[in-house]
Amino acid sequence: MSQNGLANTPMFSIEKIYLQDSSLEIPLAPKVFLERETPQIEIQLTNDSQSIEEGLYQCTVTVTVTAKITDKTLFLVEAKQAGIFRILNIPAEDMPILMNVTCPNILFPYVREVVSDLSTRAGFPPVILNPVNFEVLYHQQAQQNAMPAPSTVQ
């Protein structure tokens, strides 16, 4: 195969996976450990991506877990898992799927482990995040973005 043939070959590789940020807050410690009620768990998930330089992209998946009993926050865990991906010779129309589905799917198991580990280290039962279908989330977001904004009646 000629060198020109290799130059146009699509390429996707993981350059680096790292924990960009994490935090744990237990605002009412130690009294919170005396609570016997089951907390309500709220989970927020976001992902983001950006170009770093030609052919290199960073993708991040951020998870925030808040455990509350009534209006008292037992704990708050936030983790931002990131990855650097080398992506070359991929058609522009395929990039949104790579950055919003493929890369987050690679990063999610790592952020899932961080959240579970932090909640356990805080003295609480582990928070086990359910699997996430990033493809469905991507298509839902694309549909919402395609919908016209509601008009206001005057």
Side-chain angles (χ1 to χ4, degrees), residues 135-145:
E135 186 172 6
V136 168
L137 292 176
Y138 169 72
H139 289 298
Q140 286 173 346
Q141 185 66 39
Q143 271 186 329
Q144 287 176 352
N145 291 342

Side-chain angles (χ1 to χ4, degrees), residues 11-12 59 87 90-91 94-104:
M11 183 175 140
F12 176 87
C59 180
I87 304 171
I90 301 292
D94 294 339
M95 287 300 291
I97 291 287
L98 275 176
M99 300 312 300
N100 294 290
V101 177
T102 305
C103 294

